[in-house]
Amino acid sequence: MENIFENDGRVRIAVIGEGAAGMMAAVTAAESGGDVVIFERNDKAGKKLRITGKGRCNVTSDSTNAEIMASIPTNPKFMYASLSRFSSADTRAFFEERGVPLKVERGKRVFPMSDKASDIVNALVSACRDAGVRTVRERVTGIIAVDSEIKGIKTQGGSYECDAVIICTGGKSYPMTGSDGDGYRFASQVGHTIIQPKASLVPIVCEGNTAQRMQGLSLKNIGFKIYNKENGKIVYDDFGELMFTHFGITGPVVLSASAHIPDIDKKKYECAIDFKPALDMDALDKRIISDFTKYLNKDFINSLSDLLPLKSIEIIAERSGIDFRKKVNSVTREERLALVKAIKDFRLTLTRFRPIDEAIVTKGGVCVNEINPKTMQSKLCRGLYFAGEVIDVDGYTGGFNLQIAFSTAVSAGENAAWGN
């Protein structure tokens, strides 16, 4: 095996992956006394990070540790120790101290003031450089372990000795960025259990062509609920942004909702969209009466332009059951109330998720029962650590998944350098 480390007595640490978790782990390990080399298959750092938040990068959530754990549906207790070590406040301080001012938007989402994800990537790259981290642009093909202890890694270019490996390869979402499941394979080599990777925070396909007819319509400040059709229970309730597409629905409320629907393929769920959540039924009825007074002699279909987005008018009018050509002054109270219901309880049947390569994060991964939550070290192989999406922990949309990446990375980096 080749040796690309300094041989100066420091712990030799190979970090696999130059994304959010990989760079944070590398910086932490180097600043904690380790000799660190990142192995990255892509030609530049942070390929996935650059496109998160539509290129704006929702870097964390301005939330307490308890609030963050409440926003992690999968194995939240596993995150207690790493969040205690490196919180959302620590994430914000890390970037602001490195020249990236941040801002807090609706829903406690934290973004760079510039709205440029590249600023977050550049800050991490600079931090790595300043800490003495080096990068080798080769694809890792395996890890080398003898008697359940890390001895090195294999790449397409050769084999390298090291004392510790931190796997930060991500999950299986956005495979074009390099997250194709390599980390699961490396973990499996030393006996780790892999919880079946599935899409999480993913757009949803809807039955019929209703969404397709409204394709491109983006709604802000709508009410959004998911119902179990079998028992009528609400399984998710939110407020925010949604967009109709050629296949169904997407947007922040939809992505978050997807994490609450484990068996969507049974077609037992439907969503209910409230186009006017700021108005209750009576207030909306009064608003409609006001509009009808304004358009008293118009056809019904031509009386809704002040109330509803253009692309939604025809479909909502259909659902009201009112004849399009009926004069507004002839619409009955019962018909008007049917219109109110169509606006405030707009239902779509959900049929399936879009493919995992369209998901923001992956649900599933390395079983947390086989990882020490305080150190992120494998319980099966000494010197092997994990950070980020490769672990079976995932959060809702809103900056929680990047916080998971940063918190686990700091724990992994520190403890790898200290040999814990």
Side-chain angles (χ1 to χ4, degrees), residues 77-391:
K77 292 181 180 178
F78 177 80
M79 290 299 302
Y80 179 83
S82 57
L83 280 169
S84 298
R85 168 60 188 88
F86 196 81
S87 66
S88 168
D90 294 318
T91 297
R92 295 180 65 180
F94 177 91
F95 289 104
E96 291 187 325
E97 288 169 3
R98 287 164 175 78
V100 184
L102 303 173
K103 60 182 176 178
V104 181
E105 297 188 358
R106 185 187 60 79
K108 297 187 176 183
R109 290 169 163 83
V110 179
F111 292 90
M113 197 77 75
S114 64
D115 286 329
K116 293 180 179 178
S118 58
D119 286 354
I120 298 297
V121 176
N122 292 339
L124 286 165
V125 170
S126 296
C128 285
R129 183 184 62 244
D130 294 345
V133 176
R134 287 157 289 145
T135 300
V136 173
R137 302 214 170 276
E138 294 179 10
R139 180 174 184 173
V140 175
T141 57
I143 57 177
I144 301 169
V146 178
D147 295 330
S148 299
E149 185 172 356
I150 287 293
K151 297 297 181 182
I153 63 169
K154 298 176 184 177
T155 74
Q156 290 179 323
S159 299
Y160 302 94
E161 290 184 52
C162 61
D163 304 306
V165 170
I166 308 176
I167 296 179
C168 306
T169 52
K172 294 191 75 172
S173 58
Y174 290 128
M176 73 290 291
T177 65
S179 299
D180 61 359
D182 270 355
Y184 306 142
R185 185 165 52 82
F186 303 153
S188 296
Q189 287 180 351
V190 293
H192 274 285
T193 303
I194 306 301
I195 306 303
Q196 178 64 40
K198 296 179 181 179
S200 185
L201 306 187
V202 64
I204 299 176
V205 178
C206 298
E207 192 171 73
N209 68 347
T210 299
Q212 185 178 30
R213 290 172 62 190
M214 293 191 286
Q215 180 179 348
L217 174 59
S218 184
L219 302 173
K220 293 184 178 181
N221 304 321
I222 53 94
F224 186 77
K225 292 183 175 70
I226 301 289
Y227 286 91
N228 183 323
K229 293 196 293 184
E230 293 180 351
N231 57 27
K233 289 185 178 180
I234 297 173
V235 297
Y236 187 75
D237 188 352
D238 203 355
F239 173 88
E241 300 176 24
L242 174 149
M243 187 170 78
F244 295 97
T245 72
H246 67 284
F247 58 78
I249 50 177
T250 188
V253 297
V254 176
L255 300 177
S256 290
S258 68
H260 295 260
I261 313 173
D263 50 358
I264 192 172
D265 54 324
K266 295 180 181 179
K267 298 184 181 180
K268 67 178 185 179
Y269 296 98
E270 63 182 355
C271 71
I273 301 167
D274 183 348
F275 281 74
K276 297 292 179 181
L279 303 175
D280 62 19
M281 301 286 276
D282 288 339
L284 179 56
D285 187 32
K286 289 176 182 176
R287 166 65 195 274
I288 291 170
I289 290 172
S290 176
D291 284 357
F292 280 7
T293 300
K294 180 178 177 181
Y295 297 108
L296 197 60
N297 296 311
K298 294 273 191 180
D299 289 350
F300 165 66
I301 194 64
N302 296 324
S303 69
L304 303 174
S305 58
D306 291 351
L307 182 66
L308 298 169
L310 181 61
K311 285 190 175 182
S312 70
I313 289 175
E314 185 173 297
I315 292 172
I316 289 177
E318 286 175 0
R319 292 193 173 198
S320 76
I322 303 171
D323 186 327
F324 284 15
R325 297 305 163 196
K326 189 170 189 176
K327 296 301 179 184
V328 168
N329 57 20
S330 299
V331 174
T332 66
R333 179 178 182 277
E334 289 70 23
E335 289 174 324
R336 202 177 64 240
L337 294 179
L339 174 61
V340 169
K341 187 175 189 310
I343 294 170
K344 290 194 67 66
D345 191 22
F346 188 93
R347 303 257 177 153
L348 293 167
T349 296
L350 312 179
T351 60
R352 59 185 172 86
F353 295 136
R354 292 291 286 177
I356 195 169
D357 58 7
E358 294 182 28
I360 291 180
V361 297
T362 306
K363 183 184 288 291
V366 181
C367 178
V368 297
N369 294 335
E370 299 165 357
I371 303 171
N372 184 327
K374 294 182 179 179
T375 65
M376 295 298 138
Q377 183 170 203
S378 165
K379 293 179 180 178
L380 309 182
C381 181
R382 180 163 180 76
L384 179 62
Y385 300 79
F386 301 93
E389 195 179 345
V390 71
I391 302 169

